[in-house]
Amino acid sequence: MQTVAAAETSQRQIYFLTAKQRLASGDPRDTLAMAQRALDVGANLDDVTRIRAAALFKMGAVSAAMDSLLPLLDDPLRDDDDLTTLHMLAWQGLTQARVPLNEIVLEDGAPPSLTGWLSLGYLGQTLWEAPFEFPQRLHDYQLQYPNHSANTYLIPELLDDFQRRLEYPEKVALLLPLSGRFANSATALRDGFLAAHFQAQASGNNVDVQIIDSGTTRDDALYAYATAHEAGAGIVIGPLTKTALSAIAAQGALPIDVIGLNYLDQNESAHPQVYQFGLRPEDEATEVAERVIQEGLRRGTALYSDTDWGRRMLTAFNSRFTELGGELLSAHGYDDSNPDFSTPIMRMLNLDESRLRHQAIRATLGLDLKFEPRRRQDVQFIYLAARDREAPLIRPQLRFHQAINLPVYATSYVYNPARDADRDLDGIAFTDMPWILASEGIAGRIRENIRNNWPDNFDRNSRLYALGFDAYRLIPLLLNFERPLATPVPGMTGLLSLDANNRIRRSLYWARFRGGFPYILAAPGETVQTF
């Protein structure tokens, strides 16, 4: 018969393993619940604190995560190796936060060391923008915070790792379709790539960039790749289109690794030498699903463009949402050529059924009853898969049809930074890249410089400049590390990680429209109580 002590030990292990699984699957809210259960039955406080901090960081609850870690970080009785591990945990959590750390306002009485941690974390968040300045910025930090424990247990580790992040091959080749229908997109990518290159060049990094036209056919792409190989390129960036990337990936063993600027189709096998990096819309839909779950919302409805794009966005959202335990109660498509969205909105909110019930009662009783349609009450939020030309028309119609208090979540496609402020978007929460939402720092200056130099193409293809910029920065991270992006890295296009199929994934910032402008959202996890 199992003893009580053995049973408790078994229960602790189950809760703790479940917490780890929940964290790995992207459900930090359940991770916290399981970690608390493990603690309640006697789990080691240190172990629970570490996994809890990791979950809070994933939720964006930076202050809460650091509150739980600080007693461990500031414990002088721990050995040096453990303190180094804890400092690296804090560094990784801070740099991967999906809100600019310089915008976090600390409560009165916050520990002095926390200010130093947020400053160091923000330095890590913005390292991507100007990596060649990193040693000097660390030096400045040490002068500002001479007594901070990171100077002993973290910064030497960061400097050891730093050089590998800047070791580029002597030659790189950029393959883009410089003519045809993708020429404007290719030009934006090229100019973003060159902006990162010129910044590196100004800091003494001498890389020879060769730009090659990848044409419009599979044969053109293969010829461009062969040209890059013959020219001695150490890596190929591009091509841009799925067709061209597929042609290269189908060749078997390759003489040069490739950072493709798109993704292979799901039915195509991943290639170990082909990294896939682009602005995949479905990944943003997945981000929405994870966000609503983090906010404790598990019953939603969807309004989507009845197009191939809209259906893909709906499928991606629903797949991740149900995987995390959510339930999509209904989904209704709309015709994006018709500015009147009342019919799908009424169906989505069950207002049409309410109207039919009223008509049936009036017919039965023979009375002219006063009537106000009532929307369904079981819905907690609306997922809106719409583009920027439809979203400003849809939001007011949602208000008119009694959905004014239902939170609305969308992707970056609702926002066009080139347009004037639009109050009709107010209240919509959406996900987008730091390049768009972070207005300060080096990223903002680079963005404005590019806008000034190429204003017409920038307004049409702003996000593609960021993709080109990040593609250049990724080169040493993918070439010089045994497990590339094993720790997610902040970039202009988002927090970048690598999955098992060599697809680079992007985790994004969140914002909500207010007064027609987007404002970065605080994380839902900031309200989570600490132990």
Side-chain angles (χ1 to χ4, degrees):
M1 180 179 294
Q2 190 180 37
T3 65
V4 172
E8 289 179 348
T9 300
S10 177
Q11 195 64 59
R12 284 197 297 270
Q13 292 173 339
I14 290 171
Y15 284 144
F16 199 72
L17 287 174
T18 303
K20 285 186 172 182
Q21 290 169 351
R22 294 286 193 273
L23 185 66
S25 68
D27 193 347
R29 183 177 285 271
D30 274 2
T31 301
L32 294 175
M34 287 296 142
Q36 182 62 56
R37 289 184 185 180
L39 189 67
D40 291 342
V41 293
N44 181 275
L45 179 59
D46 263 23
D47 294 338
V48 171
T49 299
R50 292 171 203 243
I51 196 169
R52 185 176 185 277
L56 290 168
F57 278 131
K58 273 188 175 291
M59 295 176 72
V62 172
S63 299
M66 289 304 300
D67 282 346
S68 64
L69 276 182
L70 281 175
L72 307 186
L73 292 164
D74 295 336
D75 182 359
L77 299 180
R78 293 180 180 275
D79 64 56
D80 288 354
D81 288 345
D82 190 37
L83 284 170
T84 297
T85 300
L86 284 166
H87 277 68
M88 190 59 70
L89 173 63
W91 164 261
Q92 291 173 353
L94 289 167
T95 56
Q96 294 168 30
R98 287 187 277 171
V99 62
L101 295 179
N102 64 330
E103 295 195 7
I104 291 180
V105 178
L106 296 178
E107 297 180 359
D108 292 339
S113 63
L114 183 55
T115 302
W117 272 112
L118 292 182
S119 296
L120 185 61
Y122 184 64
L123 192 159
Q125 278 187 320
T126 55
L127 161 64
W128 192 261
E129 300 170 2
F132 299 92
E133 299 176 10
F134 189 53
Q136 182 60 49
R137 294 174 73 186
L138 280 179
H139 177 69
D140 294 343
Y141 172 86
Q142 290 176 307
L143 292 178
Q144 185 177 1
Y145 300 97
N147 299 317
H148 200 279
S149 61
N151 293 327
T152 301
Y153 298 107
L154 180 63
I155 289 179
E157 297 284 330
L158 299 181
L159 288 171
D160 284 346
D161 177 69
F162 168 72
Q163 194 57 43
R164 286 194 294 167
R165 294 172 176 263
L166 300 181
E167 292 176 358
Y168 283 78
E170 291 182 5
K171 293 183 179 181
V172 301
L174 179 62
L175 275 56
L176 292 171
L178 300 177
S179 58
R181 66 190 183 101
F182 295 107
N184 283 337
S185 298
T187 299
L189 276 160
R190 180 200 66 195
D191 294 340
F193 188 88
L194 291 178
H197 170 62
F198 293 147
Q199 186 191 61
Q201 204 172 43
S203 300
N205 192 292
N206 296 315
V207 179
D208 181 12
V209 173
Q210 183 177 14
I211 300 173
I212 303 172
D213 189 349
S214 59
T216 58
T217 68
R218 294 174 68 90
D219 287 343
D220 289 341
L222 293 174
Y223 180 77
Y225 180 83
T227 302
H229 179 218
E230 291 170 5
I235 194 166
V236 165
I237 296 84
L240 172 61
T241 67
K242 280 182 178 288
T243 299
L245 184 60
S246 176
I248 293 174
Q251 298 307 298
L254 297 171
I256 323 170
D257 286 355
V258 173
I259 304 176
L261 298 173
N262 209 319
Y263 294 91
L264 299 171
D265 285 332
Q266 294 287 353
N267 59 358
E268 293 183 274
S269 298
H271 193 295
Q273 293 174 268
V274 177
Y275 298 99
Q276 304 166 56
F277 181 42
L279 307 182
R280 189 169 178 264
E282 290 90 340
D283 290 344
E284 294 191 20
T286 297
E287 286 273 311
V288 178
E290 293 174 354
R291 175 77 184 200
V292 295
I293 288 291
Q294 287 180 16
E295 293 194 0
L297 307 177
R298 294 183 179 267
R299 297 188 309 279
T301 188
L303 186 64
Y304 66 95
S305 169
D306 195 8
T307 59
D308 176 67
W309 173 85
R311 289 186 288 272
R312 286 191 288 118
M313 297 292 276
L314 174 67
T315 299
F317 169 82
N318 190 39
S319 176
R320 184 60 172 151
F321 186 52
T322 54
E323 181 185 4
L324 294 174
E327 181 184 3
L328 192 62
L329 300 174
S330 68
H332 297 269
Y334 63 82
D335 178 359
D336 57 14
S337 66
N338 183 357
D340 182 0
F341 303 98
S342 58
T343 298
I345 289 174
M346 291 179 67
R347 289 175 179 165
M348 178 181 69
L349 301 173
N350 279 0
L351 293 174
D352 54 342
E353 291 185 13
S354 177
R355 196 176 301 278
L356 288 172
R357 285 195 298 271
H358 168 255
Q359 292 173 354
I361 293 172
R362 185 175 63 181
T364 300
L365 300 178
L367 300 174
D368 188 15
L369 302 172
K370 287 186 177 181
F371 169 70
E372 183 173 338
R374 178 179 172 82
R375 71 164 175 84
R376 64 187 304 167
Q377 299 299 304
D378 55 346
V379 173
Q380 295 176 309
F381 71 92
I382 297 170
Y383 167 54
L384 179 61
R387 297 182 185 270
D388 63 279
R389 61 178 176 268
E390 302 129 32
L393 303 175
I394 291 174
R395 182 59 175 159
Q397 293 184 47
L398 285 172
R399 294 192 190 99
F400 178 79
H401 289 294
Q402 303 186 30
I404 188 170
N405 294 321
L406 273 180
V408 178
Y409 297 84
T411 67
S412 67
Y413 286 82
V414 300
Y415 179 44
N416 182 347
R419 288 188 177 177
D420 294 334
D422 192 337
R423 291 179 178 272
D424 284 335
L425 293 168
D426 281 2
I428 294 178
F430 71 102
T431 186
D432 211 334
M433 60 178 66
W435 171 261
I436 297 295
L437 295 178
S439 58
E440 298 181 359
I442 297 170
R445 294 198 296 273
I446 293 171
R447 189 175 61 241
E448 289 310 307
N449 286 340
I450 292 176
R451 184 196 298 273
N452 292 335
N453 288 327
W454 300 285
D456 294 337
N457 201 36
F458 183 89
D459 285 343
R460 289 195 301 270
N461 297 294
S462 175
R463 294 176 178 88
L464 291 175
Y465 285 91
L467 181 63
F469 192 97
D470 277 2
Y472 187 89
R473 290 278 188 258
L474 277 170
I475 292 171
L477 299 183
L478 296 177
L479 286 182
N480 301 336
F481 290 82
E482 185 176 342
R483 296 176 59 232
L485 303 183
T487 299
V489 172
M492 299 291 195
T493 57
L495 186 67
L496 307 179
S497 59
L498 190 67
D499 71 13
N501 293 316
N502 266 9
R503 289 172 175 249
I504 295 169
R505 301 292 188 183
R506 300 181 304 120
S507 298
L508 306 174
Y509 282 1
W510 275 88
R512 178 174 282 122
F513 286 104
R514 187 172 74 245
F517 293 98
Y519 288 85
I520 290 178
L521 278 177
E526 286 291 355
T527 59
V528 175
Q529 297 298 311
T530 59
F531 289 126

